[in-house]
């Protein structure tokens, strides 16, 4: 199934608007759900999903600082202005931890600096407004950094007081060379983090992307989500390079010119369908760039189909079949070796290896078929959020791997501990940033590596990633010593009655 430009008209990207709608508004997104995947699918089709409040919450993030600010901050020859209290800009400083370990020998740009300002809004600004402060900050960014673009990231404060960002931008734009790009990512706008990405793409489409001067038939747009590692980027460049294609990776470490030429690409290909959705539709509707939404290059079969979809738009149909044949010769035997080792463990334990994944909705629909390729099952899965955009893809996954339990939650540790204790998987996977604070018997490992992990074992994309992550999961399954020691020497952080009752979302208003 390859949702593409033929499905583009079911949502229109309106660039005459100040910003995008929220995911709650345009796709009935939810942040809380527990039940069978088939039930989630049915409720999504009926429009029954909704966002809710939590009576008890252990972790969280806002659409500004949940992955967005650390990514915009890496854009080369640009500056960013956080229009809010200084504290709202703290996440930008995480770029060193995220990207510092990537050596330049692996292709990290050398001409990258963090050009970062804040308007540092205070109480008087909340009462009287802060248009003049924003204009001064734009002038300061222009004088200090001479950037080609200035991104303005809005905050809860500017959203609550209704600051007229566009008025300030229109007033100062004629006096500065840089293109000013407002991004309406106020934390209070939405409980669905994908809204922040959509707001970013709206600003990029509206202000940065230029009308195409020519079509570049060998250029492929790829918007890379944060949970993919640098080695994934290398693997994708390797595969498309063998086809004679070039990758226009955005947003990390992209130049302003890379954004401007998005309209000239042959196709926009996904790594994560939900992350790329708004950009792909906007590029097609306003600049004529075709796209497809599914599959992503995770696992052998999905990578085959991902490459074939790209080939349709670049005229590389014959070359891609040769490439697939060549890659299969090298990697399929290695994957079979891993699968055989999982089978040996399965025979020893007497049951199929069960993996519990903590996933974004994009990974929910791409990784479960990959687990099936490895010969392991996933009788339960978690997703940070879910919305109507991936209805077809979820239906396809259920057809391929069967029904399974699904819990939509926002990386709440107690809820993840609950479903882990109730389902008792052989291996529980969680995100490296959030939700990993629980102990259990058996294995707990990472769902994906940190963005800045440069080692080859962090690869998940493409053929090399299918083998690298399969080997990683195999090692993680065998090594239970950290969890065993942790459980033996520390207590459980939640009450026994909560773990004994059947509902992991006991404290949450349900999302339907």
């Amino acid at each position: 199934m390859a949702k593409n430009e033929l499905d583009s008209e079911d949502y229109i990207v309106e660039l005459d608007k100040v910003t995008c709608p929220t995911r709650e508004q345009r796709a009935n997104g939810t942040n809380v759900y527990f039940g069978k995947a088939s039930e989630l699918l049915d409720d999504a089709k009926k429009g029954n999903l909704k966002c809710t409040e939590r009576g008890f919450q252990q972790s969280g993030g806002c659409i500004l600082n949940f992955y967005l600010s650390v990514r915009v901050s890496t854009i080369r020859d640009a500056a960013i202005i956080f229009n809010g209290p200084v504290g709202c800009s703290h996440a930008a400083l995480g770029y060193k931890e995220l990207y510092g370990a990537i050596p330049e020998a692996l292709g990290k740009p050398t001409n990258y600096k963090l050009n970062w300002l804040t308007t540092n809004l205070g109480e008087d600004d909340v009462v009287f407004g802060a248009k003049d402060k924003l204009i001064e900050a734009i002038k300061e960014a222009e004088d200090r950094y001479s950037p080609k673009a200035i991104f303005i990231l809005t905050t809860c404060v500017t959203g609550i007081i209704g600051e007229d960002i566009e008025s300030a931008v229109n007033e100062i734009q004629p006096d500065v060379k840089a293109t000013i790009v407002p991004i309406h990512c106020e934390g209070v706008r939405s409980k669905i983090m994908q809204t922040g990405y959509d707001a970013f793409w709206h600003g990029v489409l509206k202000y940065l992307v230029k009308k195409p001067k020519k079509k570049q038939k060998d250029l492929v747009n790829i918007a890379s989500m944060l949970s993919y590692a640098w080695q994934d980027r290398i693997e994708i460049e390797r595969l498309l390079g063998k086809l004679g294609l070039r990758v226009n990776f955005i947003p990390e470490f992209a130049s302003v010119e890379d954004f401007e030429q998005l309209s000239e690409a042959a196709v926009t290909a996904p790594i994560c369908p939900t992350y790329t959705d708004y950009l792909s539709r906007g590029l097609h509707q306003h600049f004529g760039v075709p796209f497809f939404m599914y599959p992503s290059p995770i696992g052998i079969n999905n990578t085959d189909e991902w490459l074939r979809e790209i080939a349709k738009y670049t005229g590389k149909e014959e070359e891609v079949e040769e490439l697939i044949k060549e890659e299969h010769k090298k990697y399929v035997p290695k994957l079979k070796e891993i699968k055989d080792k999982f089978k040996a463990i399965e025979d020893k334990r007497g049951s199929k290896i069960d993996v519990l994944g903590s996933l974004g909705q994009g990974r929910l629909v791409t990784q479960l078929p990959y687990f099936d390729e490895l010969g392991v099952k996933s009788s339960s899965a978690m997703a940070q959020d879910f919305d109507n955009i991936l209805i077809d893809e979820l239906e396809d996954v259920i057809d391929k791997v069967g029904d399974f339990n699904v819990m939509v939650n926002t990386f709440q540790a107690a809820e993840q501990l609950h479903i882990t204790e109730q389902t008792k998987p052989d291996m529980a996977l969680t995100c490296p940033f959030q939700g990993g604070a629980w102990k259990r018997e058996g294995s707990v490992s990472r769902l994906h590596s940190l963005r800045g992990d440069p080692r080859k074992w962090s690869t998940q994309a493409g053929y090399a990633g299918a083998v690298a992550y399969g080997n990683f999961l195999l090692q993680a399954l065998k090594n239970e010593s950290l969890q065993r020691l942790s459980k033996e020497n520390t207590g459980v952080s939640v009450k026994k009655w909560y773990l004994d009752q059947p509902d992991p979302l006991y404290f949450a208003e349900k999302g339907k």
Side-chain angles (χ1 to χ4, degrees):
M1 182 186 304
K3 189 183 289 184
N4 55 30
E5 62 272 12
L6 298 177
D7 305 291
S8 174
E9 302 304 317
D10 59 5
Y11 175 75
I12 302 299
V13 174
E14 299 178 277
L15 296 184
D16 57 331
K17 305 287 188 184
V18 169
T19 188
C20 62
T22 66
R23 282 290 175 108
E24 293 94 319
Q25 292 167 332
R26 83 173 176 105
N28 290 327
T30 183
N31 58 347
V32 177
Y33 195 94
F34 180 60
K36 288 289 184 183
S38 57
E39 296 170 343
L40 174 63
L41 182 65
D42 190 45
D43 280 323
K45 286 181 175 178
K46 292 176 179 175
N48 291 340
L49 301 182
K50 63 179 181 180
C51 270
T52 68
E53 299 291 341
R54 289 181 177 278
F56 170 66
Q57 182 161 306
Q58 293 174 287
S59 63
C62 68
I63 64 173
L64 164 64
N65 279 324
F66 198 90
Y67 301 162
L68 181 61
S69 58
V70 292
R71 314 190 72 200
V72 180
S73 64
T74 67
I75 297 171
R76 290 177 287 155
D77 51 31
I80 56 173
I81 297 173
F82 289 83
N83 192 26
V86 65
C88 293
S89 63
H90 74 284
L93 301 177
Y95 81 99
K96 280 192 173 180
E97 285 71 27
L98 280 172
Y99 309 109
I102 302 170
E104 291 172 355
L106 290 181
K108 188 175 75 170
T110 57
N111 59 338
Y112 162 64
K113 293 180 180 177
L114 176 62
N115 300 330
W116 164 64
L117 293 170
T118 172
T119 50
N120 190 20
L121 301 187
E123 292 180 2
D124 288 348
D125 302 312
V126 172
V127 176
F128 300 110
K131 177 182 175 182
D132 292 341
K133 269 194 170 181
L134 178 58
I135 288 176
E136 286 304 309
I138 293 170
K139 290 179 180 176
E140 181 66 22
E142 175 90 346
D143 293 341
R144 189 183 295 184
Y145 304 120
S146 300
K148 292 182 179 177
I150 298 173
F151 292 90
I152 299 171
L153 301 177
T154 61
T155 63
C156 290
V157 171
T158 55
I160 290 170
I161 66 176
E163 190 73 69
D164 187 356
I165 307 297
E166 272 61 30
S167 172
V169 170
N170 293 335
E171 182 177 322
I172 192 63
Q173 180 64 84
D175 300 327
V176 298
K177 292 181 180 178
T179 303
I180 305 172
V181 185
I183 301 171
H184 289 266
C185 49
E186 305 92 344
V188 293
R189 279 193 69 198
S190 172
K191 293 182 175 63
I192 306 290
M193 298 305 157
Q194 307 292 345
T195 299
Y197 296 146
D198 291 352
F200 173 64
W201 296 132
H202 188 94
V204 166
L205 288 163
K206 183 170 182 175
Y207 294 98
L208 271 190
V209 180
K210 292 185 175 179
K211 290 183 179 179
K213 295 178 182 175
K214 59 179 180 179
K215 279 295 180 183
Q216 303 184 46
K217 295 181 179 178
D218 62 341
L219 190 65
V220 178
N221 293 328
I222 293 183
S224 175
M225 56 194 282
L226 186 68
S227 61
Y228 282 79
W230 198 264
Q231 287 290 342
D232 294 317
R233 180 180 174 125
I234 291 173
E235 170 68 357
I236 287 169
E237 286 179 325
R238 181 185 74 83
L239 291 172
L240 296 190
K242 284 191 169 186
L243 295 173
L245 302 175
R246 295 176 295 126
V247 185
N248 189 23
F249 269 119
I250 49 170
E252 277 100 350
F253 298 103
S255 66
V256 171
E257 184 181 0
D258 292 332
F259 287 96
E260 292 173 344
Q261 67 173 356
L262 283 167
S263 59
E264 298 182 354
V267 63
T268 304
I271 289 184
C272 171
T274 185
Y275 173 65
T276 316
D277 176 77
Y278 196 89
L279 173 70
S280 299
R281 292 176 191 273
L283 285 174
H284 172 64
Q285 292 169 11
H286 295 277
F287 302 99
V289 181
F291 70 95
F292 65 97
M293 288 277 290
Y294 189 79
S296 298
I298 297 294
I300 299 289
N301 293 334
N302 275 349
T303 300
D304 291 348
E305 295 310 309
W306 184 77
L307 288 170
R308 287 185 175 118
E309 286 296 324
I310 291 174
K312 287 180 187 176
Y313 298 98
T314 53
K316 299 287 185 180
E317 290 92 339
E318 292 183 9
E319 291 91 336
V320 84
E321 294 306 326
E322 287 301 314
L323 174 63
I324 289 172
K325 193 183 300 180
E326 178 186 325
E327 295 291 314
H328 278 213
K329 191 175 180 181
K330 179 178 181 180
Y331 288 103
V332 169
K334 293 181 178 179
L335 194 75
K336 182 179 182 306
E337 189 177 331
I338 297 168
K339 188 174 180 179
D340 290 343
K341 290 179 180 176
F342 274 119
K343 183 68 169 64
I345 297 173
E346 173 187 324
D347 292 341
K348 190 175 180 180
R349 296 188 180 190
S351 61
K352 199 165 186 176
I353 303 301
D354 193 0
V355 177
L356 171 66
S358 169
L359 318 158
Q361 59 175 335
R363 285 186 179 271
L364 179 72
V365 298
T366 55
Q367 267 193 324
L368 264 61
Y370 168 62
F371 291 157
D372 196 46
E373 282 184 3
L374 290 175
V376 302
K377 67 176 183 179
S378 189
S379 56
S380 298
M382 292 182 279
Q384 181 189 1
D385 45 44
F386 188 83
D387 57 45
N388 290 352
I389 289 171
L390 294 184
I391 283 179
D392 293 341
E393 288 77 7
L394 179 59
E395 193 163 29
D396 190 41
V397 168
I398 294 172
D399 287 342
K400 285 178 180 173
V401 305
D403 207 358
F404 54 92
N405 296 316
V406 62
M407 181 172 76
V408 178
N409 88 334
T410 50
F411 300 124
Q412 304 303 314
E415 294 168 5
Q416 295 194 357
L417 170 62
H418 185 286
I419 193 171
T420 306
E421 290 295 303
Q422 291 279 331
T423 58
K424 300 190 183 308
D426 296 292
M427 183 163 44
L429 303 176
T430 185
C431 294
F433 283 115
Q434 297 196 35
W438 78 82
K439 300 179 289 293
R440 62 179 298 261
E441 293 177 355
S443 295
V444 174
S445 190
R446 61 166 169 79
L447 183 71
H448 60 79
S449 184
L450 281 172
R451 182 73 174 169
D453 186 347
R455 294 168 292 183
K456 288 192 174 181
W457 76 346
S458 66
T459 320
Q460 292 192 18
Y463 301 108
V467 171
Y469 193 48
N471 272 321
F472 180 86
L473 291 177
L474 194 59
Q475 291 179 48
L477 179 66
K478 292 177 180 177
N479 188 357
E480 300 178 349
S481 55
L482 175 62
Q483 285 300 311
R484 187 177 63 251
L485 285 171
S486 177
K487 191 171 180 65
E488 286 173 357
N489 292 284
T490 58
V492 179
S493 57
V494 301
K495 298 290 186 182
K496 186 173 182 302
W497 69 263
Y498 169 71
L499 295 179
D500 289 342
Q501 58 83 37
D503 185 5
L505 304 180
Y506 180 88
F507 293 102
E509 181 185 344
K510 305 302 184 291
K512 64 175 181 177

